[in-house]
Amino acid sequence: MFNFNKSTLFTWLETLFLLSPLIWTMFGLFNVPDGKSVLSRLIPLVAIYCLFRFKGEWRKNVAIPGFKVFSLANIALFVLFSLQHLLGGEEFSFARTLLLVQLYLTVLPWRNIAMSHITAIVALGAMLTGAGSAYEVMVLNIGRAGALASNPIPYATFASVLLISCLFFLFTLNNGKRLSTLYIAGVAGATTAIVFSGTRGAWLAVLVTLLMLALPLARRATPKTLLATLIASSLLASGSIYALGDKLERRYQQTSAEFTNIANNNMNTSIGIRLQLWQRGWSYITQSPLLGTGTAGYLHKIGQDKNAGLITPSAAYQANAHFHNQYIDTLVRTGALGLLALLAWMLLPAWLLHKQGHGGLRNWALASTAIVLIAGLTDVPFHHTHIIYFYSMLMGVILLTARKNNVRCEV
């Protein structure tokens, strides 16, 4: 007969329910259509349960020095972007999403959650994302993975952070054999998703960040772990490249053709449109560097520039959404004040972990931030609600579950 323990089953199910927003962020947010709507409903449900089930837990979380400072930064950013929404008509999605994530992070009993739970969820998310990317491209015949639930570009940024995270877990955290195998599978899955996304900016972000981490990670890894990771990643990357050989070739030819068109003064290409947007955006920044022109202001200027022939209609249409560069876009909309606030918020978790002596976890946070910062050169990650959910939740969870014994080497 089975030894059925009702108490153990309840604890397991309750933990699964409490972590369901984090699990959905890693598993479904970027892989299931309208996944962010599920998350926006799941977080309040779990938060209400925690407020009644774990009364006073929020006080213990807020008492954690690093998380307390991060929470204050979240509140400050929420107030700033809310004011910009009310006074300047900017979108409210960033502030609203940040408030939801802050609520979830604050009320959960994180002292009962081990770092191994978090790393396993991230690695499983990387595996599922890799499988999902193969399904989209090879079964559904979608040109680029990520288009099913969001957009290939933020999808690739998400997969890139998962890849860097799994490499960090494998080489730096205290692992057993099962978890190490899971991390290797996560590396393979995330690599597959990045290749299938066909996103050039993500490839650049991963390569630069890996160069930053290569020596520290290789120095800490055992020869067996390093060899297994290299073999698994090479096999999966090779398989993905083989399966997408024609698509990658076409992507290369498209890039070459775009540069040829630009040289012939045809700016209505993907790269040409970006160059136009960056040029016009910079001109708007110089006109109002501190507070920006606001969305309404720059849209008026874009219309004038289109009529004057300073920007093509195709590029002007793209500008209705954003400038394809996080820094230019933020400077245009909110000025230097908004950009400095955003950058300070992004870099704060790594600095807090450093101040607390969590050198290894600091590197994880810093590498994840580096991916998003580099991706911001050709995209606007925080224009996408998916990335706001993912990044703010990941940083908060790292701060809340940091333990002194989590990392082999803290330098």
Side-chain angles (χ1 to χ4, degrees):
M1 297 292 292
F2 294 104
N3 183 16
F4 185 74
N5 190 317
K6 290 184 179 180
S7 178
T8 302
L9 177 63
F10 174 79
T11 301
W12 185 85
L13 290 175
E14 184 181 50
T15 302
L16 193 64
F17 173 69
L18 296 177
L19 291 176
S20 58
L22 177 64
I23 292 170
W24 184 254
T25 298
M26 301 300 168
F27 292 10
L29 183 60
F30 287 86
N31 296 307
V32 178
D34 209 23
K36 62 182 181 181
S37 295
V38 175
L39 191 57
S40 67
R41 290 162 175 77
L42 192 58
I43 287 177
L45 184 64
V46 174
I48 291 171
Y49 178 83
C50 288
L51 286 172
F52 286 98
R53 174 76 168 84
F54 306 102
K55 295 179 181 179
E57 193 67 31
W58 64 272
R59 292 188 181 89
K60 297 174 183 177
N61 288 333
V62 173
I64 299 173
F67 181 67
K68 181 178 182 179
V69 176
F70 184 63
S71 298
L72 292 173
N74 286 341
I75 293 170
L77 212 59
F78 172 80
V79 171
L80 176 63
F81 284 105
S82 295
L83 288 174
Q84 290 172 346
H85 168 70
L86 294 172
L87 302 177
E90 299 300 318
E91 292 186 1
F92 191 58
S93 58
F94 192 108
R96 181 181 62 246
T97 303
L98 200 59
L99 182 64
L100 271 175
V101 173
Q102 178 64 39
L103 174 65
Y104 174 64
L105 293 173
T106 303
V107 300
L108 210 72
W110 293 103
R111 58 193 173 85
N112 298 328
I113 307 296
M115 178 63 78
S116 59
H117 295 148
I118 307 303
T119 61
I121 290 170
V122 172
L124 285 169
M127 291 171 56
L128 289 173
T129 300
S133 69
Y135 175 74
E136 286 187 46
V137 173
M138 302 180 72
V139 178
L140 299 181
N141 293 317
I142 296 175
R144 296 170 63 188
L148 183 64
S150 57
N151 179 303
I153 299 176
Y155 176 88
T157 302
F158 166 70
S160 299
V161 174
L162 295 186
L163 171 60
I164 292 297
S165 298
C166 288
L167 286 171
F168 170 82
F169 303 155
L170 189 62
F171 293 149
T172 312
L173 300 184
N174 295 314
N175 306 306
K177 288 185 178 179
R178 278 191 243 177
L179 282 176
S180 295
T181 302
L182 187 63
Y183 302 153
I184 292 172
V187 170
T191 303
T192 302
I194 294 166
V195 173
F196 275 33
S197 74
T199 302
R200 294 169 291 200
W203 301 341
L204 174 65
V206 168
L207 288 174
V208 172
T209 307
L210 283 177
L211 286 174
M212 291 167 49
L213 295 176
L215 287 178
L217 289 178
R219 195 166 55 234
R220 293 170 187 162
T222 63
K224 185 177 180 181
T225 299
L226 187 59
L227 180 62
T229 304
L230 290 174
I231 292 174
S233 299
S234 299
L235 287 176
L236 263 293
S238 300
S240 301
I241 292 171
Y242 175 77
L244 281 178
D246 293 339
K247 290 184 173 63
L248 291 175
E249 178 65 23
R250 285 198 296 270
R251 191 68 169 157
Y252 170 77
Q253 292 174 354
Q254 176 191 349
T255 303
S256 299
E258 286 187 28
F259 281 112
T260 301
N261 287 331
I262 291 171
N264 293 327
N265 206 31
N266 176 10
M267 301 298 288
N268 286 321
T269 64
S270 177
I271 297 174
I273 285 173
R274 279 174 166 80
L275 291 174
Q276 291 183 74
L277 292 173
W278 298 345
Q279 183 184 49
R280 299 321 306 154
W282 185 251
S283 72
Y284 306 152
I285 292 166
T286 58
Q287 295 171 31
S288 183
L290 183 60
L291 299 176
T293 65
T295 300
Y298 95 72
L299 288 177
H300 177 69
K301 293 177 183 295
I302 282 286
Q304 291 180 328
D305 289 348
K306 183 178 70 171
N307 294 333
L310 297 175
I311 187 171
T312 64
S314 298
Y317 176 78
Q318 292 285 329
N320 288 327
H322 53 74
F323 284 86
H324 281 283
N325 179 293
Q326 184 70 66
Y327 312 103
I328 292 175
D329 192 77
T330 305
L331 282 168
V332 169
R333 295 176 192 270
T334 61
L337 178 63
L339 180 60
L340 288 174
L342 180 64
L343 292 176
W345 173 76
M346 291 180 67
L347 294 168
L348 181 63
W351 182 79
L352 291 171
L353 289 164
H354 173 74
K355 293 290 286 184
Q356 294 170 3
H358 299 294
L361 295 179
R362 172 208 60 201
N363 293 341
W364 177 19
L366 193 58
S368 301
T369 301
I371 289 287
V372 181
L373 287 172
I374 297 169
L377 293 171
T378 55
D379 186 39
V380 280
F382 293 111
H383 184 79
H384 307 287
T385 308
H386 297 73
I387 293 292
I388 303 169
Y389 270 122
F390 169 63
Y391 184 83
S392 57
M393 190 175 295
L394 179 65
M395 293 298 115
V397 168
I398 294 174
L399 288 168
L400 284 162
T401 56
R403 306 283 190 275
K404 285 290 185 181
N405 61 346
N406 277 335
V407 180
R408 288 186 199 140
C409 181
E410 292 284 357
V411 296

